[in-house]
Amino acid sequence: MAGQLSLRSLGKRLGTEVVGADLSRLDDDTFAEIEAVFRDHPVLVFREQKLDAHRLAAFGARFGHLREHILENYRHPDDPRVSFITNVAKDGSVDKFGVVRASSWHADETYDPPEKLPRLAILHAVEVPREKGGTMFADMYAAYETLPPAMQEKLAGMTGRHGYTDGPDARKIYTGKHIEERNAGRPECLHPAIKEHPVTGRKVLFVNPTHCHGFVGMSNEESEPLILELRDHSTRDELTYYHKWRVGDVVIWDEIATMHRGAADAAPEERRIMLRTIVHPN
Ligand SMILES: [Fe+2]
């Protein structure tokens, strides 16, 4: 490609390494190039970066609006728009549950209504497990495009009902009490099962088994087999990318065009510290 950057494919469908960018001091032209690449490559990887909370927030803010984390104790003390994703407690102990947290397939925040959906998320690796502990991504354009035509047609008329982490896969990880407390007072949000991507206009399958608990006109029990069938279809090996983290990695992913999950395959006592920010459209 023209310009400063070069690209290297990491996975079959997803995962594109961008070589030649220092995210701590980006000029406008290089950022424009990154934004153009991101449109066609929904998971971008930048190696050997070193961003503090301010610089990570500054990079994210070029794409849109950053919101503070919903839970105060996740917020970074230097910039509340950046949060810690870690299994290391303040006293230095390692939370053994950390390895399974966020390990069911999801897109972030689909428990919010369509106008509040995030555009993208960014993770920056500060400390990573010695082995495994990756993050997986699924290509939801390809998930839609590889559905049988009859299923595409059926889903085009369906609307997903989403709640806070109470879809069929989330219920296997989180306790019922936790789910009910988080959902109290939170309205169910509706998203079409097939969504048009707001930037590219391409269709994506927009059903994730963490937040989508049913479809309009169907009970949760009736919906579950279809949610799980769509998950299995979307997350076949050929549609997914496993990102093995290195310290210094910055990964950005499109929140509409992909699903992701923590692979939950590291030893539970391995430390993992990431900085994260989620970007909403302006
Ligand atoms: Fe997530």
Side-chain angles (χ1 to χ4, degrees):
M1 65 183 297
Q4 302 295 310
L5 308 175
S6 58
L7 306 181
R8 202 164 74 87
S9 286
L10 300 173
K12 281 180 225 147
R13 293 258 187 186
L14 288 178
T16 306
E17 185 176 337
V18 181
V19 181
D22 177 351
L23 301 182
S24 69
R25 43 186 199 88
L26 269 187
D27 56 60
D28 291 347
D29 288 349
T30 311
F31 177 73
E33 224 183 309
I34 291 171
E35 206 172 26
V37 167
F38 185 53
R39 187 186 156 99
D40 298 321
H41 301 83
V43 177
L44 295 183
V45 176
F46 302 84
R47 304 281 193 191
E48 294 177 3
Q49 305 291 323
K50 198 167 173 34
L51 302 181
D52 58 18
H54 295 303
R55 289 206 161 99
L56 184 65
F59 175 52
R62 282 180 171 267
F63 289 98
H65 173 70
L66 310 182
R67 284 202 311 218
E68 296 182 356
H69 196 284
I70 189 169
L71 303 173
E72 203 170 327
N73 57 344
Y74 282 84
R75 292 179 196 159
H76 195 290
D78 295 340
D79 193 318
R81 301 170 303 167
V82 171
S83 47
F84 278 112
I85 304 290
T86 179
N87 60 354
V88 183
K90 288 207 170 82
D91 66 3
S93 64
V94 173
D95 172 10
K96 297 280 170 66
F97 181 70
V99 71
V100 294
R101 187 173 287 124
S103 64
S104 57
W105 283 104
H106 64 285
D108 292 315
E109 302 180 4
T110 70
Y111 46 78
D112 277 340
E115 68 277 10
K116 286 194 169 171
L117 286 176
R119 177 178 180 198
L120 62 107
I122 307 175
L123 270 182
H124 183 26
V126 177
E127 202 171 328
V128 301
R130 280 166 294 187
E131 283 182 22
K132 301 187 177 176
T135 302
M136 301 178 71
F137 297 92
D139 182 342
M140 301 308 280
Y141 290 126
Y144 171 75
E145 286 157 12
T146 56
L147 282 170
M151 181 61 98
Q152 289 179 339
E153 211 168 296
K154 173 178 160 178
L155 291 170
M158 294 177 69
T159 301
R161 298 186 285 107
H162 295 236
Y164 193 94
T165 316
D166 63 349
D169 277 358
R171 287 188 172 275
K172 293 172 198 151
I173 298 178
Y174 303 102
T175 63
K177 182 173 166 287
H178 175 93
I179 291 171
E180 272 135 40
E181 277 170 12
R182 288 287 178 80
N183 271 303
R186 181 183 285 276
E188 186 176 61
C189 286
L190 303 181
H191 298 285
I194 305 299
K195 186 175 172 65
E196 204 162 282
H197 191 284
V199 175
T200 64
R202 291 172 63 196
K203 287 178 178 167
V204 295
L205 173 59
F206 200 69
V207 176
N208 76 75
T210 295
H211 302 309
C212 181
H213 53 226
F215 297 100
V216 169
M218 292 166 71
S219 70
N220 291 7
E221 291 70 29
E222 286 167 336
S223 304
E224 184 168 324
L226 179 56
I227 295 170
L228 298 181
E229 181 188 338
L230 294 173
R231 174 204 63 193
D232 291 346
H233 168 83
S234 310
T235 59
R236 290 167 293 149
D237 279 354
E238 61 267 34
L239 303 192
T240 59
Y241 164 61
Y242 182 111
H243 184 68
K244 171 77 184 97
W245 290 97
R246 296 181 202 161
V247 169
D249 283 356
V250 170
V251 174
I252 75 177
W253 67 89
D254 186 311
E255 287 280 16
I256 308 297
T258 66
M259 290 199 296
H260 61 279
R261 64 180 284 256
D265 56 0
E269 64 276 11
E270 288 274 348
R271 289 162 59 96
R272 185 177 194 258
I273 303 177
M274 304 269 179
L275 298 183
R276 185 187 77 168
T277 193
I278 292 192
V279 183
H280 290 78
N282 277 319

